[in-house]
Amino acid sequence: MQFIEKNSLNVRSAVYHLKKDGASLEFVLFPMVHVGSNEYYEEISRRLSFCDLVLSEGVSSKKGNLLTLSYRIVKKIKRMDLVTQQEGIKVSLFREKILNSDLGGQAFDARWTSLPLSLKGRLFVLIPFYVVYLFLFGTRETLAESIALEDFPSSDEILHYDEGFEQLDTFLIDERDRRLIDHIVKLHDTSYQDKKTIGIVYGAMHMRNVTRFLMHKLNYRIAKSEWVTVFDL
Protein backbone atom coordinates (compact mmCIF):
# COMPACT_ATOMS: atom_id res chain seq x y z
CA MET A 1 0.00 0.00 0.00
CA GLN A 2 1.20 3.47 -0.86
CA PHE A 3 0.31 6.26 1.55
CA ILE A 4 2.30 9.12 0.03
CA GLU A 5 3.61 9.10 -3.53
CA LYS A 6 6.13 11.40 -5.21
CA ASN A 7 6.31 11.42 -8.99
CA SER A 8 7.79 13.79 -11.57
CA LEU A 9 4.74 16.07 -11.45
CA ASN A 10 3.55 16.22 -7.86
CA VAL A 11 3.23 14.72 -4.40
CA ARG A 12 0.01 12.78 -3.79
CA SER A 13 -1.66 11.41 -0.68
CA ALA A 14 -3.86 8.31 -0.78
CA VAL A 15 -7.34 8.04 0.72
CA TYR A 16 -8.43 4.50 1.64
CA HIS A 17 -11.98 3.33 2.32
CA LEU A 18 -12.01 0.16 4.45
CA LYS A 19 -15.06 -2.07 4.90
CA LYS A 20 -15.78 -5.47 6.36
CA ASP A 21 -18.16 -8.14 5.13
CA GLY A 22 -21.25 -8.23 7.32
CA ALA A 23 -20.53 -4.86 8.93
CA SER A 24 -22.03 -1.45 8.13
CA LEU A 25 -19.19 0.54 9.71
CA GLU A 26 -16.69 2.09 7.29
CA PHE A 27 -13.27 3.56 8.08
CA VAL A 28 -11.75 6.17 5.77
CA LEU A 29 -8.01 6.71 6.20
CA PHE A 30 -6.44 10.08 5.42
CA PRO A 31 -2.62 9.72 5.57
CA MET A 32 -1.63 13.35 6.08
CA VAL A 33 1.31 15.45 4.97
CA HIS A 34 1.64 18.30 7.48
CA VAL A 35 2.69 20.87 4.86
CA GLY A 36 0.85 21.25 1.58
CA SER A 37 -1.16 23.47 -0.74
CA ASN A 38 -4.35 25.23 0.29
CA GLU A 39 -6.19 23.18 -2.33
CA TYR A 40 -5.01 19.93 -0.72
CA TYR A 41 -6.34 20.84 2.70
CA GLU A 42 -9.59 22.19 1.26
CA GLU A 43 -10.20 18.85 -0.47
CA ILE A 44 -9.38 16.84 2.67
CA SER A 45 -11.68 19.12 4.69
CA ARG A 46 -14.49 18.60 2.20
CA ARG A 47 -14.13 14.83 2.43
CA LEU A 48 -13.97 14.89 6.23
CA SER A 49 -17.22 16.88 6.33
CA PHE A 50 -19.05 13.80 4.95
CA CYS A 51 -17.80 11.58 7.79
CA ASP A 52 -19.99 10.86 10.81
CA LEU A 53 -17.00 10.95 13.18
CA VAL A 54 -13.40 12.10 12.74
CA LEU A 55 -10.58 10.59 14.81
CA SER A 56 -7.83 13.19 14.79
CA GLU A 57 -4.35 13.65 16.17
CA GLY A 58 -3.29 16.70 18.12
CA VAL A 59 -1.25 17.16 21.27
CA SER A 60 -1.42 20.36 23.29
CA SER A 61 2.14 20.63 24.54
CA LYS A 62 4.70 23.43 24.50
CA LYS A 63 7.43 20.82 24.93
CA GLY A 64 6.53 19.36 21.56
CA ASN A 65 6.84 22.66 19.71
CA LEU A 66 10.41 21.93 18.63
CA LEU A 67 9.20 18.88 16.71
CA THR A 68 6.87 20.98 14.55
CA LEU A 69 9.29 23.86 13.98
CA SER A 70 10.16 22.79 10.43
CA TYR A 71 6.44 22.75 9.47
CA ARG A 72 5.85 26.20 10.89
CA ILE A 73 8.82 27.78 9.13
CA VAL A 74 7.60 26.63 5.70
CA LYS A 75 4.70 29.09 5.72
CA LYS A 76 7.26 31.91 5.92
CA ILE A 77 9.07 30.75 2.77
CA LYS A 78 7.21 32.58 0.01
CA ARG A 79 8.87 30.69 -2.85
CA MET A 80 7.21 27.46 -1.65
CA ASP A 81 3.69 28.93 -1.41
CA LEU A 82 2.58 26.23 1.04
CA VAL A 83 0.70 26.22 4.32
CA THR A 84 0.66 24.01 7.39
CA GLN A 85 -2.08 21.49 8.08
CA GLN A 86 -3.17 23.51 11.11
CA GLU A 87 -3.74 26.56 8.89
CA GLY A 88 -5.13 24.76 5.87
CA ILE A 89 -7.69 22.35 7.34
CA LYS A 90 -11.16 23.92 7.48
CA VAL A 91 -12.12 22.59 10.91
CA SER A 92 -15.36 24.60 10.84
CA LEU A 93 -16.76 22.10 8.30
CA PHE A 94 -16.64 19.17 10.75
CA ARG A 95 -15.78 20.60 14.18
CA GLU A 96 -18.69 18.91 15.96
CA LYS A 97 -17.60 15.50 14.61
CA ILE A 98 -14.00 15.57 15.89
CA LEU A 99 -12.80 13.17 18.56
CA ASN A 100 -9.20 13.76 19.58
CA SER A 101 -7.77 10.24 19.92
CA ASP A 102 -4.18 11.31 20.64
CA LEU A 103 -2.16 11.44 23.85
CA GLY A 104 -3.15 14.10 26.34
CA GLY A 105 -0.79 17.00 26.94
CA GLN A 106 0.32 15.80 30.39
CA ALA A 107 1.03 12.27 29.14
CA PHE A 108 2.99 13.65 26.20
CA ASP A 109 5.05 15.96 28.43
CA ALA A 110 5.80 13.13 30.85
CA ARG A 111 7.09 10.90 28.06
CA TRP A 112 9.08 13.76 26.53
CA THR A 113 10.73 14.44 29.88
CA SER A 114 11.71 10.78 30.19
CA LEU A 115 13.63 10.74 26.89
CA PRO A 116 17.43 10.60 27.25
CA LEU A 117 19.17 13.97 27.38
CA SER A 118 21.52 12.85 24.62
CA LEU A 119 18.56 12.28 22.29
CA LYS A 120 16.96 15.63 23.10
CA GLY A 121 20.35 17.29 22.63
CA ARG A 122 20.61 15.87 19.11
CA LEU A 123 17.12 17.15 18.31
CA PHE A 124 17.95 20.64 19.59
CA VAL A 125 20.91 20.71 17.17
CA LEU A 126 19.53 18.92 14.11
CA ILE A 127 16.07 20.47 13.87
CA PRO A 128 17.18 24.15 13.98
CA PHE A 129 19.95 23.33 11.48
CA TYR A 130 17.39 21.78 9.09
CA VAL A 131 15.05 24.75 9.58
CA VAL A 132 17.78 27.24 8.66
CA TYR A 133 18.64 25.15 5.59
CA LEU A 134 14.96 25.13 4.53
CA PHE A 135 14.65 28.87 5.02
CA LEU A 136 17.75 29.63 2.93
CA PHE A 137 17.63 26.98 0.23
CA GLY A 138 14.44 24.93 0.59
CA THR A 139 12.09 24.28 -2.32
CA ARG A 140 9.09 22.04 -2.87
CA GLU A 141 11.49 19.50 -4.35
CA THR A 142 13.50 19.60 -1.11
CA LEU A 143 10.40 18.72 0.90
CA ALA A 144 9.47 15.97 -1.55
CA GLU A 145 12.87 14.23 -1.59
CA SER A 146 12.08 11.64 1.06
CA ILE A 147 8.34 12.08 1.45
CA ALA A 148 7.16 8.88 -0.26
CA LEU A 149 5.78 6.34 2.21
CA GLU A 150 4.40 2.81 1.92
CA ASP A 151 3.07 0.25 4.38
CA PHE A 152 6.52 -1.37 4.71
CA PRO A 153 9.83 0.49 5.21
CA SER A 154 11.67 1.28 2.00
CA SER A 155 15.27 0.26 1.37
CA ASP A 156 16.33 3.87 2.03
CA GLU A 157 14.56 3.87 5.41
CA ILE A 158 16.30 0.64 6.38
CA LEU A 159 19.73 1.83 5.21
CA HIS A 160 19.44 5.17 7.00
CA TYR A 161 17.82 3.84 10.18
CA ASP A 162 19.37 5.41 13.27
CA GLU A 163 19.02 3.35 16.46
CA GLY A 164 19.60 6.53 18.44
CA PHE A 165 16.10 7.69 17.47
CA GLU A 166 14.36 4.40 18.29
CA GLN A 167 12.98 5.68 21.61
CA LEU A 168 11.65 8.79 19.89
CA ASP A 169 9.91 6.69 17.22
CA THR A 170 8.38 4.47 19.91
CA PHE A 171 7.06 7.53 21.72
CA LEU A 172 5.87 9.60 18.75
CA ILE A 173 4.51 6.74 16.63
CA ASP A 174 3.87 3.48 18.47
CA GLU A 175 2.53 4.81 21.78
CA ARG A 176 0.21 7.29 20.08
CA ASP A 177 -0.93 4.59 17.64
CA ARG A 178 -1.90 2.35 20.54
CA ARG A 179 -4.13 5.13 21.85
CA LEU A 180 -5.72 5.55 18.41
CA ILE A 181 -6.22 1.80 18.02
CA ASP A 182 -8.00 1.68 21.40
CA HIS A 183 -10.54 4.16 19.99
CA ILE A 184 -10.91 2.10 16.81
CA VAL A 185 -11.59 -1.06 18.84
CA LYS A 186 -14.28 0.68 20.90
CA LEU A 187 -15.99 1.97 17.77
CA HIS A 188 -15.80 -1.42 16.10
CA ASP A 189 -17.23 -3.17 19.16
CA THR A 190 -20.06 -0.69 19.82
CA SER A 191 -20.98 0.46 16.28
CA TYR A 192 -20.28 -2.67 14.24
CA GLN A 193 -23.73 -2.70 12.59
CA ASP A 194 -24.22 1.09 12.45
CA LYS A 195 -24.09 2.67 9.03
CA LYS A 196 -21.40 5.17 9.94
CA THR A 197 -18.30 6.52 8.25
CA ILE A 198 -15.32 7.08 10.53
CA GLY A 199 -12.57 9.34 9.20
CA ILE A 200 -9.05 8.87 10.57
CA VAL A 201 -6.89 11.91 9.87
CA TYR A 202 -3.33 11.30 11.11
CA GLY A 203 0.20 11.78 9.82
CA ALA A 204 1.03 9.21 7.13
CA MET A 205 3.58 7.39 9.30
CA HIS A 206 0.81 6.41 11.72
CA MET A 207 -1.09 4.61 8.99
CA ARG A 208 1.27 1.64 8.97
CA ASN A 209 0.10 0.42 12.36
CA VAL A 210 -3.51 1.44 11.73
CA THR A 211 -3.89 -0.41 8.43
CA ARG A 212 -2.22 -3.54 9.81
CA PHE A 213 -4.60 -3.59 12.74
CA LEU A 214 -7.75 -2.93 10.71
CA MET A 215 -6.87 -5.42 7.97
CA HIS A 216 -5.13 -8.21 9.89
CA LYS A 217 -6.81 -8.04 13.31
CA LEU A 218 -10.31 -6.80 12.50
CA ASN A 219 -10.43 -8.22 8.94
CA TYR A 220 -11.37 -5.03 7.12
CA ARG A 221 -10.51 -4.77 3.43
CA ILE A 222 -9.84 -1.91 1.04
CA ALA A 223 -13.11 -1.16 -0.77
CA LYS A 224 -11.90 1.95 -2.59
CA SER A 225 -8.75 4.05 -2.89
CA GLU A 226 -8.19 7.52 -4.33
CA TRP A 227 -5.38 10.07 -4.72
CA VAL A 228 -5.38 13.70 -3.59
CA THR A 229 -2.62 16.04 -4.79
CA VAL A 230 -0.64 17.52 -1.87
CA PHE A 231 1.35 19.96 -4.00
CA ASP A 232 2.73 20.24 -7.52
CA LEU A 233 6.46 20.21 -8.21
Side-chain angles (χ1 to χ4, degrees):
M1 291 174 65
Q2 287 183 295
F3 297 125
I4 307 296
E5 180 204 59
K6 175 192 177 290
N7 55 55
S8 59
L9 299 176
N10 54 38
V11 171
R12 304 191 299 176
S13 174
V15 176
Y16 289 107
H17 298 250
L18 274 68
K19 295 184 178 181
K20 180 176 179 176
D21 293 339
S24 299
L25 196 64
E26 176 183 2
F27 289 95
V28 184
L29 309 184
F30 297 88
M32 296 302 294
V33 177
H34 297 310
V35 176
S37 66
N38 265 311
E39 293 78 11
Y40 166 57
Y41 293 118
E42 286 174 359
E43 177 60 19
I44 295 298
S45 301
R46 185 187 69 80
R47 291 170 182 255
L48 288 170
S49 71
F50 291 110
C51 295
D52 298 295
L53 182 68
V54 175
L55 301 182
S56 74
E57 64 182 328
V59 177
S60 178
S61 167
K62 291 182 179 179
K63 292 186 178 180
N65 283 346
L66 176 68
L67 301 173
T68 62
L69 182 59
S70 60
Y71 306 147
R72 289 181 279 119
I73 200 66
V74 166
K75 68 180 182 181
K76 300 182 183 296
I77 305 175
K78 293 183 179 181
R79 62 181 173 273
M80 288 195 189
D81 191 26
L82 299 174
V83 298
T84 64
Q85 178 178 329
Q86 187 175 17
E87 294 175 302
I89 287 284
K90 305 298 185 290
V91 177
S92 59
L93 295 178
F94 53 93
R95 188 186 306 276
E96 70 281 359
K97 303 174 183 180
I98 296 174
L99 174 62
N100 188 317
S101 47
D102 211 328
L103 287 176
Q106 288 185 333
F108 185 93
D109 287 347
R111 282 294 288 115
W112 174 262
T113 301
S114 70
L115 292 175
L117 287 176
S118 57
L119 173 56
K120 287 187 281 191
R122 290 182 68 184
L123 291 174
F124 276 106
V125 172
L126 292 175
I127 292 178
F129 178 83
Y130 178 64
V131 165
V132 171
Y133 174 79
L134 274 183
F135 192 78
L136 294 177
F137 308 109
T139 63
R140 289 187 176 192
E141 190 67 41
T142 304
L143 292 178
E145 282 176 0
S146 57
I147 203 169
L149 188 75
E150 299 182 1
D151 50 348
F152 289 100
S154 66
S155 56
D156 279 348
E157 284 183 79
I158 295 171
L159 286 171
H160 294 97
Y161 180 72
D162 187 339
E163 290 185 358
F165 286 101
E166 185 172 353
Q167 286 179 281
L168 184 66
D169 291 340
T170 299
F171 163 40
L172 292 180
I173 304 297
D174 297 338
E175 291 186 22
R176 295 169 66 202
D177 288 354
R178 281 193 286 271
R179 179 71 178 269
L180 171 58
I181 287 170
D182 285 343
H183 281 82
I184 291 173
V185 170
K186 289 177 184 177
L187 286 167
H188 174 76
D189 290 345
T190 60
S191 304
Y192 185 75
Q193 294 298 342
D194 294 344
K195 191 171 179 57
K196 290 183 178 180
T197 301
I198 312 298
I200 301 178
V201 53
Y202 264 70
M205 189 65 75
H206 296 277
M207 294 300 169
R208 285 175 169 168
N209 287 330
V210 171
T211 53
R212 286 179 197 136
F213 184 81
L214 281 168
M215 297 177 71
H216 300 305
K217 295 294 185 180
L218 297 184
N219 297 316
Y220 280 79
R221 57 180 175 79
I222 298 173
K224 183 170 70 171
S225 61
E226 303 164 283
W227 288 109
V228 179
T229 299
V230 178
F231 55 80
D232 292 322
L233 297 174

